[in-house]
Amino acid sequence: MPCLNGLIGLSLIALMLTAAAPSAAEPPDVELRHVDGKAELLVNGEPMRIKGAGGDASKKLLAEAGGNAFRTWGVGDDTQARLDEAQELGLKVVLGIWLEHERHGFDYNDARRVAEQYERVRESVLRFKDHPALLAWALGNEMEGFGAGDNAAVWSHLQACAAMVKQIDPHHPIMTVIAEVGGERIRSLHRLCPDIDIVGINSYAGVTSIPQRYREAGGVKPYIVTEFGPPGTWEVGRNSFGAVQEPTSTQKAETYAQAYQTLADDPLCLGSFAFTWGFKQEATATWFGMFLFDGSKTAAVDAMTEAWLGAGPANRCPTIEPLTVSAEVVEPGAAVQVGLEAADPEDDALTVEWRLYAEADSYFTGGDHQAAPPRFPDAITASSLSGAVLKMPRQPGKYRVYAFVRDGQGGAAMANHPLMVKGDGEAPKGVASSLPFVIYGDQPADPNYTPSGYMGDHDFVKMDEASRQNPHAGETCLEVSFEKSSGWGGVVWQHPANDWGDQPGGFDLTGAKQLRFYARGARGGEKVNFGFGTLGADAQHPDSSGYTAA
């Protein structure tokens, strides 16, 4: 079974990026007021409580649902367009500036790299500080890591950046975003970062206790819950074969509603951002997404609409009960019967789509991109609105069956259930159902390979995976730049993500005779190496073939 990894080595590539002219509208006067334990944001003198979301789904729908803001995680080539769209829709933006993570190899004791990051923060603030949609800055997202969060070098650098931002732009408050409130995070922020005005907190299963736990940890600064949603995979139990049970979309909606109401009653809380306003493969295809891969909204969107507007949408999403299965653990190739119960509040005609995937190789990604696991369309032998019959693959391993119910009005419901095929052997490999097999094209809902293997001066490799700069075919293409005058940087597209040969992966491309791709330089003279197959015979799971050419 040939397995394919794509290697792109980049050397001396320089694309000139120029900032777009700022909007002509006047930037708002944003003030943070904190008096007698009560905190509030004032925009042009008017109080504003954040009713927001984070993610890439429709911002028009966000505004129609009663949202008034969204957050970003970093500054990129699309930031100007995002801010302009927000202004057109009457939304505000908490603009994130990414601070690197130690778990990705960044060293906060490396003076050169810290200085370069400081300069990137400065350039971002200068570029966007006068945009009328800007509400606040968010310096970093969980860059303190998932342990105790007690590295003083991280907090010292954060304070230096915050002080610089405040000097350049005294008109917008400054926030940083942390992973929950445990360890030394809150004490470190209050003691070492006086120029951080607002604490952003990402919290899931523990979100309803944040008001109490934040104060117990020593928190007195105003805060915003910057991510909330269903319990994380790290916060739920495992079944007999180690799989997590995901709540249905109906169950998740109740979690969103409860979390929002709890936070609304806390005088220190300035508002919240639901997560994810979009689709994201993380642990499963649906765990955190408030939308499905095709853009259909789920009940979590309805729940936030009712919370923000005080009334739900005219047409609500279908409801769904947890799936039932005839057996969770079966022999290779065995049949499994799956039961489904779904209904629609307006009695709209429902349809159902069934899918079987291999289980993801990891449930906890820390928010990093995760490639979609292999899908097995031939496993669905019978399906209806009352259930399905599966013929399980012969490869031993964990799988997950999904039911996607749609109402024809843009609403959907989802439930899934983990399954296990007995036996020893490798986890299932992906199977290309037909050739040609598209490795990289217009971004699909289920990308096969992940650009996770960064090498060399990787901090200077920048990618726009949906660039519209003269694509060879389709609507988008991949645009890559190497933003350094010397050295080199490389990227390996991997399956699964971050696999250097210690995990089974790749796709069965039996019958494929050639690999075809198109590339062009922006200016001419770029030096680029392209190849496939990076895992040698010394790897536990080597590639079956490899080739590199300039």
Side-chain angles (χ1 to χ4, degrees):
M1 290 190 177
C3 299
L4 184 63
N5 281 321
L7 168 66
I8 297 182
L10 308 173
S11 177
L12 301 177
I13 298 177
L15 296 182
M16 301 302 294
L17 300 176
T18 57
S23 171
E26 287 293 323
D29 179 21
V30 183
E31 177 187 354
L32 174 61
R33 186 163 60 188
H34 186 197
V35 180
D36 296 332
K38 169 69 174 177
E40 63 180 352
L41 284 170
L42 300 176
V43 179
N44 294 327
E46 294 296 324
M48 174 183 174
R49 182 169 186 82
I50 293 175
K51 302 176 181 179
D56 295 328
S58 169
K59 301 305 185 294
K60 181 175 183 291
L61 180 56
L62 176 63
E64 292 172 350
N68 60 12
F70 63 89
R71 65 170 292 217
T72 72
W73 282 256
V75 169
D77 293 342
D78 62 345
T79 298
Q80 182 72 36
R82 288 188 174 204
L83 288 165
D84 290 345
E85 181 186 23
Q87 180 66 12
E88 292 175 2
L89 295 171
L91 300 172
K92 295 299 180 186
V93 181
V94 174
L95 190 58
I97 301 179
W98 186 258
L99 299 184
E100 296 295 338
H101 292 200
E102 291 179 298
R103 65 189 179 89
H104 293 155
F106 192 87
D107 183 359
Y108 276 87
N109 291 305
D110 185 327
R112 177 187 65 83
R113 298 184 72 183
V114 167
E116 290 168 347
Q117 180 163 265
Y118 180 91
E119 181 61 21
R120 288 197 294 274
V121 172
R122 187 184 72 86
E123 291 172 354
S124 297
V125 174
L126 287 171
R127 184 178 178 187
F128 297 112
K129 67 182 180 67
D130 294 323
H131 198 286
L134 179 64
L135 179 66
W137 301 103
L139 300 182
N141 182 84
E142 299 184 351
M143 69 285 167
E144 85 285 358
F146 303 112
D150 57 354
N151 186 351
V154 174
W155 304 114
S156 295
H157 176 61
L158 175 63
Q159 166 56 24
C161 290
M164 175 263 292
V165 173
K166 188 159 289 188
Q167 184 176 24
I168 296 174
D169 178 17
H171 304 295
H172 297 95
I174 303 167
M175 176 176 72
T176 193
V177 178
I178 58 175
E180 264 289 348
V181 297
E184 295 297 316
R185 290 166 177 77
I186 303 304
R187 283 184 288 272
S188 295
L189 263 174
H190 284 70
R191 184 173 66 249
L192 301 177
C193 303
D195 285 303
I196 292 294
D197 304 305
I198 302 167
V199 180
I201 304 169
N202 294 340
S203 181
Y204 291 90
V207 66
T208 55
S209 63
I210 283 292
Q212 175 183 346
R213 291 189 294 117
Y214 178 64
R215 288 168 172 80
E216 289 174 349
V220 296
K221 293 175 182 280
Y223 72 89
I224 300 169
V225 171
T226 39
E227 291 180 17
F228 72 94
T233 55
W234 60 95
E235 298 171 310
V236 299
R238 305 287 182 97
N239 69 4
S240 62
F241 52 88
V244 293
Q245 185 64 56
E246 179 176 348
T248 68
S249 57
T250 301
Q251 292 169 329
K252 291 177 186 178
E254 297 171 359
T255 302
Y256 279 92
Q258 183 181 10
Y260 179 83
Q261 186 55 54
T262 299
L263 298 171
D265 296 333
D266 186 0
L268 269 186
C269 183
L270 298 169
S272 57
F273 292 92
F275 184 82
T276 302
W277 189 262
F279 164 79
K280 186 181 185 184
Q281 166 68 43
E282 186 172 348
T284 74
T286 51
W287 198 285
F288 292 106
M290 300 170 72
F291 294 78
L292 299 186
F293 46 83
D294 63 354
S296 300
K297 70 183 179 78
T298 70
V301 177
D302 290 352
M304 294 315 303
T305 301
E306 185 164 1
W308 291 334
L309 290 178
N315 190 285
R316 293 179 178 268
C317 293
T319 61
I320 193 168
E321 296 295 321
L323 300 180
T324 60
V325 297
S326 58
E328 286 189 331
V329 181
V330 299
E331 298 292 337
V336 175
Q337 295 181 339
V338 188
L340 167 67
E341 291 186 28
D344 188 79
E346 294 79 33
D347 292 325
D348 292 326
L350 298 178
T351 60
V352 62
E353 177 187 9
W354 292 90
R355 292 190 176 195
L356 180 73
Y357 286 97
E359 191 75 325
D361 59 284
S362 174
Y363 289 137
F364 181 70
T365 70
D368 295 345
H369 179 80
Q370 184 180 50
R375 180 185 171 194
F376 297 84
D378 295 339
I380 312 298
T381 61
S383 66
S384 70
L385 272 169
S386 61
V389 178
L390 313 181
K391 180 178 175 58
M392 296 301 293
R394 301 204 64 82
Q395 299 100 322
K398 300 174 186 177
Y399 297 82
R400 189 170 292 262
V401 59
Y402 293 78
F404 300 106
V405 176
R406 299 178 176 87
D407 64 3
Q409 307 294 325
M414 181 287 309
N416 63 48
H417 200 290
L419 300 168
M420 177 78 172
V421 173
K422 297 178 183 178
D424 298 324
E426 294 183 354
K429 293 183 180 296
V431 178
S433 58
S434 63
L435 294 173
F437 179 65
V438 177
I439 298 170
Y440 201 99
D442 278 342
Q443 291 301 290
D446 296 339
N448 294 319
Y449 287 90
T450 304
S452 55
Y454 283 81
M455 303 173 294
D457 295 320
H458 55 82
D459 285 346
F460 299 92
V461 178
K462 306 299 180 185
M463 296 194 298
D464 181 354
E465 296 186 357
S467 172
R468 298 185 180 273
Q469 295 296 319
N470 191 22
H472 173 80
E475 297 183 355
T476 64
C477 60
L478 170 67
E479 181 179 347
V480 184
S481 63
F482 184 63
E483 301 178 350
K484 192 179 181 185
S485 60
S486 62
W488 70 279
V491 185
V492 182
W493 274 255
Q494 298 168 311
H495 180 278
N498 302 303
D499 176 34
W500 294 101
D502 56 349
Q503 304 178 62
F507 290 80
D508 181 358
L509 302 180
T510 301
K513 302 298 183 183
Q514 64 179 206
L515 170 66
R516 178 180 297 174
F517 68 92
Y518 298 88
R520 63 178 176 83
R523 302 176 62 182
E526 294 87 352
K527 297 180 180 179
V528 185
N529 291 332
F530 296 91
F532 64 87
T534 61
L535 306 177
D538 57 336
Q540 181 181 359
H541 300 282
D543 288 325
S544 58
S545 182
Y547 180 77
T548 301

